[in-house]
Amino acid sequence: MVETLTPARRPPSTKNPWVTCIATNKEEAVKEYEHLTDQIQIYSDGSSFKGKIGVAAVLFRAGKQPRTLCYHLGTEEEHTVFEAEEVGLTLAAHLLATERDPTFPISILIDNQASIQAGESFYSHPGSYIADHFHRMMCRIAHKHENFDTTVRWVPGHSDIHGNEEADKHAKLASEGHHNDSSIDRLPHYLRHHTLPLSISALKERQSKDTAEHWKYLWCTSSRFHHINSIDPQILKRSFIKLSTNFPKCLTSLYVFLRTGHAPLNKHLHQIQKSASPSCPHRPGTDESVHHYLLLCLQYR
């Protein structure tokens, strides 16, 4: 089953019960983390490892053992890391919902800014249904606790932040397969009885790769391959487009003429029956080719 996009996710007047905090740079984010005094901090992270994707969330509370939830999404051909980050937020919300006597304020920390911003958007995009799950879960928690005060914060990855490193470690384990999943009764309800629908973004990327591979096969078996490959072996990597991006059109045309040998010189003109001889008029018996014209002929130096 492939995910569907809902045109209207929720009314524009809807407000999120949580606050978001995205620092302007990595250094500022680390400073905010160092001054964080919340008794409960929940870290989530998604990870892609060896072509598979997993996610984990870890709840830290002063004086207690950390609590962890892990979930395996599937392969990179079926899902994306962005989806995993979104699922991580729902795991964090579920840890918060099942925590006894939570003390506010509470921080949920994640190293992916796009996932945080997805919760603020009203527009549909691939994976938005997971952000909507997170929104509904947080609304239920806020309704249950009058003193609800939760901030979703961005923390930079790989910055020696202990909670983020722990979440990343468990996410890599989860990416190995469903055998590392948390027990079903501990997961959010929407993850208990079925796998997630296939990601539109992942399917598009897979289709693009398959199309590129098929085109590469067609090109390598083409009758024109050997000639063009001798001119530019990196043509499938868009080498010419990258080279000529800022060229004016006349210069691009001239470059193509010279590189392919289809320049208005006697060797080419003779091939298309526009010249009686392929020879250079200044050196009879020598073909007037691009190489001869540019490097050898003394007349044009």
Side-chain angles (χ1 to χ4, degrees):
M1 180 176 65
V2 181
E3 68 171 305
T4 56
L5 300 182
T6 304
R9 292 171 58 188
R10 57 181 185 269
S13 59
T14 304
K15 294 183 179 180
N16 291 329
W18 68 90
V19 177
T20 61
C21 180
I22 299 178
T24 54
N25 55 59
K26 178 179 178 179
E27 291 73 21
E28 183 179 334
V30 173
K31 286 182 180 179
E32 289 180 0
Y33 161 75
E34 291 173 346
H35 291 87
L36 200 60
T37 58
D38 296 355
Q39 293 295 305
I40 296 178
Q41 299 177 19
I42 310 173
Y43 295 81
S44 69
D45 193 26
S47 178
S48 175
F49 186 64
K50 294 183 178 180
K52 298 180 181 180
I53 296 177
V55 60
V58 185
L59 184 148
F60 293 90
R61 187 169 188 173
K64 293 188 177 182
Q65 289 294 321
R67 296 171 56 218
T68 304
L69 288 178
C70 301
Y71 185 74
H72 175 75
L73 276 75
T75 67
E76 290 179 342
E77 294 183 346
E78 300 169 335
H79 300 285
T80 63
V81 174
F82 173 77
E83 271 187 298
E85 299 283 2
E86 291 289 305
V87 172
L89 286 175
T90 67
L91 294 181
H94 192 65
L95 285 171
L96 176 56
T98 54
E99 180 70 10
R100 292 184 179 180
D101 302 320
T103 55
F104 296 94
I106 291 173
S107 288
I108 297 175
L109 302 101
I110 182 172
D111 61 5
N112 187 287
Q113 295 187 23
S115 297
I116 299 174
Q117 294 165 344
E120 302 292 316
S121 174
F122 293 93
Y123 298 101
S124 290
H125 54 78
S128 60
Y129 74 96
I130 306 175
D132 293 339
H133 276 299
F134 176 67
H135 176 83
R136 289 190 290 268
M137 294 168 74
M138 293 294 282
C139 285
R140 287 195 292 267
I141 299 170
H143 182 74
K144 185 178 179 180
H145 300 279
E146 292 183 358
N147 61 336
F148 181 85
D149 181 6
T150 300
T151 303
V152 179
R153 303 178 184 274
W154 171 66
V155 289
H158 309 293
S159 299
D160 295 325
I161 296 176
H162 175 68
N164 182 255
E165 296 298 326
E166 284 295 303
D168 181 62
K169 179 180 71 176
H170 286 287
K172 281 185 169 59
L173 287 174
S175 68
E176 294 178 0
H178 284 296
H179 60 277
N180 287 329
D181 283 358
S182 300
S183 57
I184 292 178
D185 60 322
R186 295 182 59 222
L187 292 172
H189 287 282
Y190 81 99
L191 296 176
R192 292 183 181 181
H193 304 296
H194 54 80
T195 58
L196 294 176
L198 300 179
S199 165
I200 293 176
S201 296
L203 293 177
K204 284 184 177 180
E205 184 174 353
R206 178 182 174 183
Q207 178 63 37
S208 296
K209 288 182 179 178
D210 289 346
T211 301
E213 286 297 320
H214 183 59
W215 162 241
K216 184 177 180 180
Y217 168 76
L218 293 176
W219 169 242
C220 291
T221 56
S222 168
S223 59
R224 298 177 178 85
F225 170 74
H226 293 290
H227 176 63
I228 299 298
N229 193 60
S230 65
I231 296 174
D232 185 1
Q234 300 296 320
I235 193 167
L236 289 183
K237 296 182 180 179
R238 302 168 64 87
S239 57
F240 176 72
I241 294 177
K242 294 176 183 177
L243 173 67
S244 61
T245 297
N246 297 319
F247 287 1
K249 187 175 180 179
C250 59
L251 183 58
T252 302
S253 299
L254 179 60
Y255 179 84
V256 172
F257 288 157
L258 295 175
R259 198 67 185 85
T260 60
H262 293 178
L265 300 172
N266 281 344
K267 182 179 180 180
H268 175 63
L269 295 176
H270 180 69
Q271 289 176 343
I272 61 175
Q273 299 179 357
K274 297 296 182 180
S275 173
S277 170
S279 298
C280 174
H282 306 287
R283 293 191 64 182
T286 301
D287 287 351
E288 189 182 38
S289 63
V290 173
H291 178 76
H292 172 79
Y293 175 78
L294 293 178
L295 302 176
L296 303 178
C297 190
L298 300 177
Q299 182 68 28
Y300 300 113
R301 287 190 177 183

